[in-house]
Amino acid sequence: MKRSQLKFLLINLLALAVLQPGAVAFANFDAPYGFLKDLSAWLEAYIGVMPLMVIYAVWDREKLGKKVIGGYLIFAALLMSFSYYLSKLVVADINPSFSFKDFLVLCPISTLLALMLLLPSLIHIHRLYYSYDLPLVIAELLVVLAVFLVYKKLRES
């Protein structure tokens, strides 16, 4: 993997790692709604960052290559579809008319809320996750491990 591709991967992994605690705190702000709400909040927050990632990829397109950018756009489309489906499941009882346009407006707002709640959620991390969030805790640990490994590989290259 080229250095620029490793950097792009590292930026995406960092976004995932940084956004999760705040997104889960936001999802559980007024009441614990369950694993799907926490997962959908995390994915919505990450999708809110994706336009910036695409801008960065296009800006650095000569170093990244068309295959990486095309693969990332396919990944973004699949993740948006999956996340929209999850969000629709979560809010079906509350807002049956939840549309894709609503979802697209909600994603950058979720990103901002996740960033604003990052520090408070890290301070109270022992109260952040519920027992049903164990898969999210494991995912966060794996993403942090991946960040460390990609950073280590980037430093070596």
Side-chain angles (χ1 to χ4, degrees):
M1 209 177 231
K2 291 192 262 182
R3 185 171 173 78
S4 58
Q5 293 171 342
L6 281 172
K7 214 160 74 170
F8 185 65
L9 179 61
L10 181 65
I11 291 168
N12 277 279
L13 289 171
L14 275 171
L16 274 171
V18 166
L19 291 171
Q20 198 219 42
V24 171
F26 167 64
N28 291 322
F29 186 69
D30 54 351
Y33 287 109
F35 172 75
L36 286 182
K37 175 60 179 156
D38 294 355
L39 177 62
S40 68
W42 182 26
L43 294 178
E44 287 166 6
Y46 177 67
I47 289 169
V49 170
M50 280 184 152
L52 297 175
M53 301 296 181
V54 170
I55 290 169
Y56 174 77
V58 170
W59 178 58
D60 207 14
R61 69 184 167 272
E62 292 170 6
K63 292 179 184 175
L64 283 175
K66 292 179 182 178
K67 288 183 182 178
V68 172
I69 295 171
Y72 188 75
L73 290 174
I74 291 170
F75 166 72
L78 291 173
L79 188 64
M80 285 175 79
S81 300
F82 177 69
S83 184
Y84 173 63
Y85 173 74
L86 279 180
S87 297
K88 199 152 175 70
L89 279 177
V90 169
V91 300
D93 294 337
I94 302 166
N95 184 4
S97 63
F98 185 72
S99 69
F100 190 69
K101 189 169 77 171
D102 297 333
F103 173 76
L104 291 178
V105 169
L106 182 65
C107 288
I109 294 170
S110 295
T111 303
L112 291 173
L113 287 170
L115 289 173
M116 288 187 330
L117 291 172
L118 175 65
L119 288 177
S121 65
L122 290 177
I123 291 169
H124 299 289
I125 197 134
H126 62 282
R127 295 186 304 200
L128 179 63
Y129 297 100
Y130 290 92
S131 60
Y132 54 75
D133 282 333
L134 182 61
L136 289 179
V137 173
I138 293 169
E140 178 72 4
L141 292 174
L142 291 174
V143 170
V144 169
L145 177 65
V147 165
F148 174 74
L149 294 174
V150 171
Y151 177 74
K152 187 177 171 185
K153 189 166 183 163
L154 189 62
R155 295 277 300 186
E156 292 171 357
S157 67

